[in-house]
Amino acid sequence: MISDIDAARAEALAQISAATTTTELDAVAAALNGKRAPLAVLKTGLGALATPDDKKLAGQALNAAQQAVATELTGRRHELVASERARRVEAERLDLTEFVRPARRGHLHPVTQAWERLEDVFVGLGFTVAEGPEVESDWYNFEALNMSPDHPARNEFDTLFVDHRGAPPGTTVLRTHTSPVQIRAMLTAAPPLYLVAPGRVFRRDTPDATHMPVFHQIEGLVVDRGITLGHLAGTIQAFTEAFFGPGFESRLRPSYFPFTEPSAEFDIRTPSGDWLELGGCGMVHPDVLRAGGVDPAEWSGFAFGFGIDRMASERHAVGDLRDMYVGDIEFAEQF
Amino acid sequence: MKVSLSWLADYVELPDDADLVVAALADLGLPVEERWATGPVPGVVTARVVRTERHPDAAKVQRVWVDAGDGLERHVWCGASNFAAGDVVPLATLGTEMPDGRVISARGILGIDSDGMLCSARELGLGSDHSGILVLPADSPLGVTYGDAVGLATDTVVDIDITRNRPDAYGVVGVARDLAAHFGVPLRLPDATVVVNGPARSVPVTIVDGDRCGRFTTVVLSGIAVGPGAGWMATRLQAVGQRPINNVVDVSNYVMLELNQPNHTYDLDLLRGAALRVRVARAGESLVTLDEVTRELTADDLLICDGDDVAVGLAGVMGAENSAISATTDTVALEVAWFEPGGIGATVSRIGLRSDASTRFERGVDPYGPDRAAARFVELLAETCPDLVVHAGAVDERAASLPSPQRQTTLRVAEVERIVGVPLAAAEITALLDPIGFTTTPASVDGEAPGDGDGGGGGEAPGVLRVELPSWRPDCNTEIDVIEEVARHYGYARVPRLVPLSPLHGHLTAAQQRRRALRRTLVGLGLSEVLPNAFLAAADVERAGLGIDTSAEPPEVLRITNPIVHGEDVLRPSLRPGLLGAIALNANRRRPGVALFEIGHVYRPGPGELPDEREWVAIALAGREAPAAVEVWRAVAEAMGIGARIDQGRPPAGLHATRAATLLAGRDTLGVVGEVAPEVLAAYDIDERVAVVELDLSGVLKAEPKAARWRPTSKHPSSDLDVAFVLADDVPAEKLEKAIRQGAGALLNGVELFDAYRGESLGEGRRSLAYRLRLQALDRTLSDADVAAVLQAVTAAAAKLGAERRG
């Protein structure tokens, strides 16, 4: 009996190690665990043994054999699963630098990116963001800004006029600057006002590498009690550092605009030491405050303005402004 | 305005370092746009021509041997032949950088090197003469800089950008006055008295139109010998870009540039009636100006006429040929006048003729400057006309438009601090204003001046100053004008910088945040932003088939009155033409399949004070079909918390008749979705299909959708149910989906169309739509019976639409 058990055990173990796939092993396992498996058949013969000692010895041998088979099955299964996984992983090898049609991501226009960055800087300084129409009345665009109809400075704006039947001829314009938003803001809300007004503006300019008839400006307006030229200079400097980064300096130089007095140009100096003319600014002219319904004896304020397109083109070293507006996808995808 | 530092130095002591002067000018609001050195070009020396020789193979140039004083014979090639052996000429030695940037090299002709270059006057920056080599005085020493030979010293010229509020800076003296104040040194003004040394002789003046001419002075000068002007003057004039003509014209120009006082000389022998009349032109009158152009005039143009009332000049702009001085002129009438600036400006912009004189009159010259200008004219002309006679009987005619000599305003001392942010005492303000001609005196205590705070008691600093405004600063009239002058001369850079503390919380409005969210959503969908031109030609609008008649009456589009380009005069009524143009451009450059969007304004005529202007978003997907547009619309709608019905009932203009829809929010049109019509694509030469979404943002950005509410998620697995229905083509899938949702009830967690099939087996005008329903309960795993019940309910609901369950 013992020799039969040993033979059956050896045979079972041989079958297990002969299985080369988990599927084969499953078949082997089913056979070995079935009722007709040699060890199972031997077990049914235990009762026929003569002595209790024989029974005990043979029973022990059988249990040990079945244990060994079960252990071997588990071990072999682990081996086969591991090797099959390893083969599969090997078979799945990919070159990750080899990919077809990469997913296309969308791009914001560089002017929009600059626009949003500028808004964020001023929001951080406690400003709100105001908007106004692009087709504007002469009164908001010029007259309220201290430029009466015969003011010579008007000629410098190269204004585009619009045929609009709701107003007298020659009094509807494409806004030449975002400054009319100042007036609208003052007429809408009482001071204190801390706002910027970004937007599209228009000039009767032939497009070239550095000029576009349609471009974008951001205007700033602060009206509060006790606002001085010192606050203007401080705000320009705070903006310069926040927008351009540390190491950038700003300066104000006297200049002239009909809607501010004292007026200034403001320049920034790059860390490499070059001065760059950025925009115009000044203390809001008393007549402009009055046009906005603000008493200049009680309130004072400053305003500033500069080009957004310029910020974008400087940042990305765009060599020809016209390229920004034709809609070439190869341009858009650079930013 | 170009001015040389040596000229400025006549009136003000300047630092030797030109950089300091340039920086001071910037601080004063007189920024230098450009600066350059004038004077002799370093490396160009005097040399004597030893001999010349023609080369048989070089027809246009000759060989020249010169001696530059060192005994060596240098050989140069030269294209000119206006000199002979023995002449002294300027030789640019090897390595010299010429004013035009060219560097002299030994590059030769026919293999023979040139040891330098002989120079023309123009090549040396000395005027325009390029007819030949500049021949220097024969006794010039050799081998020295040619500047010594012609009395030319090194100088710096600056070109100043002059703002509209500084007409005085069009004169060298005006710039010098600012610099003198800045550096704290005295201003040395030229003398202002005309010294009369001849018998009375007058040219009487009649100012007919006194609103246009405020002052007109004449003085008669005789004993003039017209000839070359003084050399030093010619050099100065040339340095600032004025061509020297003759002594009389040079002096006239010099006085204009120096004192900002344009002036004119008439040959008195040619001036009929020996009198002048100042009047506006009559309709139909014309005048041949000195530039030999016939000018047709209107009643807005001011004329200077002779005694016979025949025009001899366009006032303040340009004289006429008929009384101009000539080589034989002996006696002249010198005119120095003041014209009303607005009138000159109107004439200049109407006839498009701008002169140095008109630029000055248009901005405003000093109405009390003519005396000094006439005196200076006489003084300078006497240098080249030793027999000059200044006749008694000078005329000074004045009229109503002449500004008052006593213009003044009050300045509250405290107001300076309130605006500038620097506490300045009255004495400090006075010290800043006095050097630039603003005379201050304490205002009387009982004066009407406001804000007279602390100026009461004797000996105390006044709270209000009375300021006499200088006649050469017509731009200055009110208190704020004077405050600007105080700030300018105090120095903007010295004002302490403060950041105002905003009492507001900085923020974007909800609409501005939603606009940004929309942009981010579109970028996330792989779309790129473009900003096409807002100006269209009428043909662009027609081409896009927008259903807008550009020639309709009343107009359906908004037009630009004075467009930049003829034809580009329509303000876009839609963003679509811009995007279609961009797609066509990309396709042309072999970039098919672009996905673009724009957020921008569109404009239409409207009844209000301003036209109808709205913000829209337009999305265009090249190479995609209508469902791709619907997918984008769905994503945008979900991200923005908006909704609309897709109404295919009436296809929007310009879109594909069977593949486009209007987006309706209630009864309002929110926008359109679909494909562009084939005929529109053909008109744009676009070969790809183009899917579009366009939304009116005026409502979308203002909408305030509720925040999404939490829905508990089930811990139990879901069951998927695939079901297909056959239904007629004219029943929208949207309706079937709605029916499925209603039928499935509470167990439905999601439904998705995963297949649409049309085939003969289904019959004409019918299609099969297959949906996958995800069913789920919060409290249990669904049983087969649950699923079967849903299937039954869904089938029943669909049947009401005439849909049959398939299979």
Side-chain angles (χ1 to χ4, degrees):
Chain A
M1 180 90 185
I2 296 294
S3 63
D4 290 346
I5 292 171
D6 286 347
R9 169 185 169 144
E11 172 60 20
L13 293 181
Q15 284 177 13
I16 289 168
S17 64
T20 56
T21 68
T22 48
T23 318
E24 278 175 33
L25 189 65
D26 286 345
V28 170
L32 292 178
N33 293 328
K35 284 177 184 169
R36 288 188 197 155
L39 286 175
V41 172
L42 287 171
K43 201 165 190 176
T44 59
L46 277 183
L49 288 178
T51 68
D53 276 0
D54 284 352
K55 274 184 189 167
K56 190 182 172 189
L57 278 174
Q60 282 173 346
L62 258 178
N63 278 342
Q66 282 180 319
Q67 199 84 52
V69 167
T71 304
E72 190 60 22
L73 267 176
T74 309
R76 185 62 184 157
R77 183 170 300 281
H78 282 149
E79 268 174 42
L80 288 175
V81 165
S83 74
E84 279 174 16
R85 253 192 210 131
R87 272 203 302 280
R88 179 178 150 191
V89 165
E90 185 52 43
E92 285 175 351
R93 178 175 294 280
L94 282 185
D95 174 2
L96 295 189
T97 65
E98 167 200 312
F99 49 91
V100 180
R101 201 167 183 278
R104 192 177 257 165
R105 113 183 135 83
H107 297 258
L108 282 183
H109 195 279
V111 165
T112 302
Q113 294 182 33
W115 175 320
E116 291 190 352
R117 268 164 38 80
L118 289 165
E119 283 179 342
D120 291 346
V121 165
F122 284 106
V123 163
L125 290 171
F127 285 55
T128 57
V129 180
E131 296 172 23
E134 293 172 359
V135 181
E136 193 46 286
S137 75
D138 180 273
W139 189 82
Y140 282 104
N141 194 75
F142 290 119
E143 217 164 322
L145 290 162
N146 211 12
M147 284 179 279
S148 52
D150 57 352
H151 198 289
R154 281 188 176 213
N155 299 332
E156 289 157 23
F157 281 98
D158 299 320
T159 311
L160 286 159
F161 292 90
V162 171
D163 295 341
H164 171 53
R165 300 197 169 186
T171 63
T172 308
V173 303
L174 280 162
R175 64 176 176 193
T176 56
H177 47 185
T178 40
S179 308
V181 182
Q182 284 182 27
I183 304 296
R184 291 185 176 273
M186 284 191 279
L187 290 173
T188 307
L193 297 169
Y194 290 75
L195 59 90
V196 287
R200 188 172 271 207
V201 298
F202 307 81
R203 300 274 172 96
R204 200 168 183 281
D205 251 348
T206 308
D208 63 30
T210 55
H211 295 88
M212 288 298 292
V214 182
F215 57 106
H216 304 82
Q217 270 186 352
I218 187 163
E219 183 91 7
L221 173 71
V222 167
V223 179
D224 204 342
R225 289 189 179 84
I227 292 293
T228 71
L229 187 65
H231 290 119
L232 168 58
T235 302
I236 295 289
Q237 178 60 26
F239 155 73
T240 301
E241 285 168 26
F243 187 81
F244 294 98
F248 281 82
E249 247 320 290
S250 66
R251 75 172 174 201
L252 265 51
R253 283 184 290 111
S255 189
Y256 170 76
F257 303 103
F259 29 92
T260 51
E261 190 160 19
S263 294
E265 296 274 353
F266 67 94
D267 307 335
I268 59 155
R269 191 178 57 193
T270 63
S272 59
D274 302 324
W275 284 102
L276 206 68
E277 270 185 49
L278 216 62
C281 60
M283 300 302 293
V284 182
H285 196 285
D287 290 347
V288 175
L289 289 174
R290 273 182 215 109
V294 172
D295 180 4
E298 184 181 357
W299 307 93
S300 55
F302 64 75
F304 56 85
F306 52 92
I308 300 175
D309 308 56
R310 173 92 187 289
M311 294 290 194
S313 65
E314 292 278 347
R315 180 177 172 84
H316 303 294
V318 176
D320 190 328
L321 280 188
R322 287 168 294 193
D323 270 12
M324 306 220 292
Y325 303 101
V326 294
D328 189 331
I329 194 71
E330 276 195 16
F331 173 84
E333 288 180 346
Q334 294 171 30
F335 307 103
Chain B
M1 221 275 294
K2 299 184 193 72
V3 57
S4 63
L5 297 191
S6 70
W7 199 343
L8 281 168
D10 277 4
Y11 320 113
V12 56
E13 195 182 321
L14 293 176
D16 291 336
D17 186 352
D19 287 348
L20 292 179
V21 180
V22 169
L25 288 169
D27 288 347
L28 289 163
L30 300 169
V32 171
E33 295 206 308
E34 213 182 325
R35 61 187 268 198
W36 58 91
T38 65
V41 179
V44 181
V45 298
T46 52
R48 186 182 305 280
V49 176
V50 179
R51 62 197 164 92
T52 64
E53 186 184 298
R54 285 277 163 195
H55 189 285
D57 295 336
K60 290 179 181 165
V61 290
Q62 60 171 332
R63 305 184 65 180
V64 184
W65 282 265
V66 295
D67 171 13
D70 52 7
L72 292 174
E73 258 194 16
R74 293 164 196 249
H75 166 262
V76 291
W77 287 97
C78 182
S81 53
N82 64 316
F83 51 87
D87 281 347
V88 177
V89 293
L91 168 73
T93 53
L94 293 181
T96 297
E97 186 177 351
M98 299 302 287
D100 64 4
R102 181 158 53 123
V103 176
I104 302 302
S105 71
R107 94 198 140 80
I109 298 169
L110 303 168
I112 307 168
D113 278 354
S114 190
D115 198 9
M117 183 185 85
L118 306 185
C119 309
S120 73
R122 191 174 79 185
E123 283 166 333
L124 294 172
L126 292 171
S128 56
D129 191 353
H130 193 52
S131 61
I133 298 306
L134 177 67
V135 178
L136 300 167
D139 55 355
S140 305
L142 299 184
V144 301
T145 167
Y146 72 100
D148 295 350
V150 294
L152 191 63
T154 304
D155 198 358
T156 299
V157 179
V158 293
D159 192 358
I160 300 173
D161 182 23
I162 294 174
T163 51
R164 197 163 271 285
N165 62 330
R166 290 301 308 278
D168 63 309
Y170 277 99
V172 181
V173 161
V175 177
R177 181 182 290 112
D178 250 6
L179 285 170
H182 184 86
F183 290 120
V185 295
L187 175 71
R188 300 183 291 252
L189 272 182
D191 201 7
T193 330
V194 178
V195 181
V196 174
N197 62 352
R201 191 165 175 194
S202 294
V203 173
V205 174
T206 312
I207 301 177
V208 179
D209 292 293
D211 56 329
R212 295 289 305 276
C213 173
R215 190 168 174 196
F216 201 105
T217 70
T218 60
V219 59
V220 174
L221 309 174
S222 63
I224 289 171
V226 175
W232 65 269
M233 191 180 285
T235 303
R236 256 186 196 177
L237 290 173
Q238 232 164 12
V240 300
Q242 286 276 350
R243 193 161 56 92
I245 311 276
N246 61 42
N247 54 348
V248 180
V249 175
D250 289 0
V251 164
S252 174
N253 284 331
Y254 192 89
V255 169
M256 173 181 73
L257 296 172
E258 179 182 70
L259 297 173
N260 189 33
Q261 195 63 247
N263 54 83
H264 191 72
T265 46
Y266 301 89
D267 186 327
L268 202 47
D269 295 329
L270 299 176
L271 188 69
R272 282 172 294 186
L276 291 170
R277 280 167 60 81
V278 188
R279 62 163 173 86
V280 295
R282 300 184 189 100
E285 208 168 351
S286 67
L287 175 70
V288 181
T289 40
L290 271 174
D291 52 3
E292 293 171 3
V293 177
T294 304
R295 310 283 174 180
E296 304 297 335
L297 306 171
T298 73
D300 289 333
D301 303 319
L302 191 66
L303 293 176
I304 314 295
C305 302
D306 61 18
D308 291 355
D309 207 25
V310 173
V312 293
L314 191 53
V317 183
M318 197 173 272
E321 197 69 60
N322 50 13
S323 60
I325 62 154
S326 66
T328 57
T329 297
D330 171 80
T331 306
V332 301
L334 170 66
E335 161 204 324
V336 189
W338 185 89
F339 301 108
E340 192 279 313
I344 301 295
T347 291
V348 163
S349 56
R350 190 182 64 75
I351 66 175
L353 172 63
R354 185 164 266 116
S355 64
D356 287 330
S358 72
T359 298
R360 288 171 167 79
F361 281 124
E362 208 183 324
R363 285 166 169 76
V365 303
D366 183 355
Y368 296 93
D371 299 335
R372 186 187 303 276
R376 187 70 173 144
F377 189 100
V378 169
E379 182 190 352
L380 292 171
L381 188 58
E383 221 182 283
T384 50
C385 299
D387 302 329
L388 187 68
V389 177
V390 181
H391 290 273
V395 172
D396 183 356
E397 198 63 27
R398 301 184 182 203
S401 59
L402 183 68
S404 161
Q406 249 120 45
R407 294 181 313 127
Q408 59 182 27
T409 187
T410 52
L411 173 65
R412 290 165 289 166
V413 171
E415 190 69 359
V416 173
E417 180 176 1
R418 192 176 79 101
I419 299 298
V420 182
V422 180
L424 291 175
E428 292 172 287
I429 292 170
T430 298
L432 290 169
L433 289 175
D434 195 54
I436 51 169
F438 290 71
T439 316
T440 58
T441 45
S444 58
V445 179
D446 53 355
E448 63 277 68
D452 190 1
D454 50 357
E460 279 180 37
V464 181
L465 297 171
R466 190 166 300 286
V467 185
E468 305 285 341
L469 304 165
S471 56
W472 57 85
R473 289 298 303 272
D475 59 291
C476 281
N477 293 294
T478 60
E479 183 183 49
I480 194 71
D481 298 329
V482 179
I483 290 174
E484 180 171 61
E485 291 305 302
V486 172
R488 201 165 65 81
H489 280 277
Y490 178 77
Y492 284 12
R494 289 173 63 201
V495 176
R497 295 173 175 191
L498 296 168
V499 181
L501 201 63
S502 168
L504 315 174
H505 81 282
H507 67 280
L508 296 178
T509 63
Q512 288 157 355
Q513 289 178 25
R514 283 172 65 73
R515 187 187 290 126
R516 285 193 179 191
L518 174 60
R519 277 191 202 123
R520 294 298 179 284
T521 301
L522 297 174
V523 165
L525 293 167
L527 295 150
S528 286
E529 188 185 25
V530 292
L531 300 175
N533 194 356
F535 305 148
L536 300 176
D540 296 323
V541 180
E542 305 288 353
R543 207 149 55 119
L546 297 167
I548 296 169
D549 181 356
T550 54
S551 53
E553 196 57 44
E556 294 178 6
V557 290
L558 205 57
R559 282 184 191 270
I560 300 170
T561 316
N562 55 338
I564 300 161
V565 182
H566 177 72
E568 254 187 34
D569 65 336
V570 174
L571 278 174
R572 58 182 180 184
S574 157
L575 301 180
R576 200 184 303 159
L579 288 188
L580 289 176
I583 286 174
L585 175 130
N586 279 289
N588 257 330
R589 299 179 179 180
R590 297 264 171 102
R591 286 152 207 166
V594 296
L596 308 174
F597 79 95
E598 181 187 8
I599 295 174
H601 290 207
V602 299
Y603 326 81
R604 305 260 183 134
E609 266 178 55
L610 291 175
D612 182 6
E613 178 179 335
R614 285 159 192 256
E615 189 175 18
W616 277 65
V617 61
I619 294 148
L621 310 163
R624 305 294 304 278
E625 299 190 33
V630 179
E631 203 181 334
V632 169
W633 150 244
R634 286 244 171 117
V636 167
E638 194 193 325
M640 302 300 290
I642 53 173
R645 193 157 53 81
I646 295 177
D647 177 19
Q648 272 185 270
R650 260 184 313 138
L655 295 189
H656 195 298
T658 60
R659 291 182 161 207
T662 306
L663 295 169
L664 291 175
R667 300 182 60 180
D668 297 334
T669 300
L670 184 65
V672 298
V673 63
E675 259 177 66
V676 175
E679 66 271 19
V680 172
L681 294 178
Y684 274 88
D685 260 340
I686 297 172
D687 293 334
E688 314 164 87
R689 287 177 179 274
V690 176
V692 294
V693 184
E694 291 167 6
L695 302 174
D696 183 346
L697 292 183
S698 36
V700 172
L701 297 185
K702 276 192 215 113
E704 290 174 23
K706 288 187 190 126
R709 276 184 72 90
W710 174 71
R711 180 165 46 78
T713 55
S714 176
K715 293 167 184 68
H716 304 279
S718 64
S719 302
D720 284 353
L721 171 62
D722 289 355
V723 55
F725 293 100
V726 176
L727 82 165
D729 272 335
D730 61 1
V731 181
E734 196 179 26
K735 276 194 173 176
L736 178 59
E737 191 182 312
K738 209 168 166 187
I740 291 171
R741 285 181 185 280
Q742 279 170 353
L747 293 181
L748 187 71
N749 191 33
V751 59
E752 209 169 83
L753 177 69
F754 70 89
D755 189 38
Y757 169 76
R758 284 175 177 78
E760 279 178 23
S761 60
L762 299 177
E764 182 76 5
R766 286 155 65 81
R767 87 279 205 193
S768 163
L769 299 174
Y771 290 89
R772 177 159 298 156
L773 283 65
R774 170 148 293 185
L775 306 175
Q776 204 166 34
L778 280 178
D779 54 350
R780 63 196 154 93
T781 303
L782 295 182
S783 66
D784 290 348
D786 290 327
V787 176
V790 168
L791 178 61
Q792 198 177 7
V794 165
T795 306
K800 288 180 189 159
L801 297 172
E804 295 166 26
R805 190 153 71 82
R806 222 181 143 206

